[in-house]
Amino acid sequence: DMVTGDDALVRVSIPRNVPLHKATVTLNGTDVTGTLELDAAERTLTGMVTDLELGDNELLGSEAGQVGSHHGRAGIAVSADG
């Protein structure tokens, strides 16, 4: 959503077919789910993602247990300027 330096404010929508407790978010392969606040009513995870690398970064939302499969995964590229 908004990138400042090496930080980004993000909101991830969780599809209705994904149980809330199985929603995960990774940044460049590191799980950042615990740094985000769950809004169960809105089915979102929101918060500040820190330590973006200079250049392109991958923010990936997925369903726990679906690693290695493209089913239930969605990602975006986030760029940090130096």
Side-chain angles (χ1 to χ4, degrees), residues 4-73:
T4 305
D6 63 352
D7 301 329
L9 177 61
V10 300
R11 180 176 8 194
V12 178
S13 297
I14 304 167
R16 294 229 174 261
N17 65 332
V18 175
L20 294 176
H21 69 280
K22 288 193 170 190
T24 61
V25 179
T26 59
L27 175 64
N28 299 325
T30 300
D31 190 338
V32 296
T33 310
T35 66
L36 305 175
E37 184 175 330
L38 173 64
D39 181 333
E42 294 293 323
R43 298 189 62 82
T44 59
L45 289 164
T46 304
M48 189 68 68
V49 175
T50 61
D51 300 325
L52 294 173
E53 297 173 2
L54 185 61
D56 291 339
N57 294 266
E58 181 182 51
L59 187 70
L60 182 66
S62 63
E63 179 178 350
Q66 298 297 321
V67 177
S69 167
H70 290 288
H71 175 75
R73 296 176 62 178

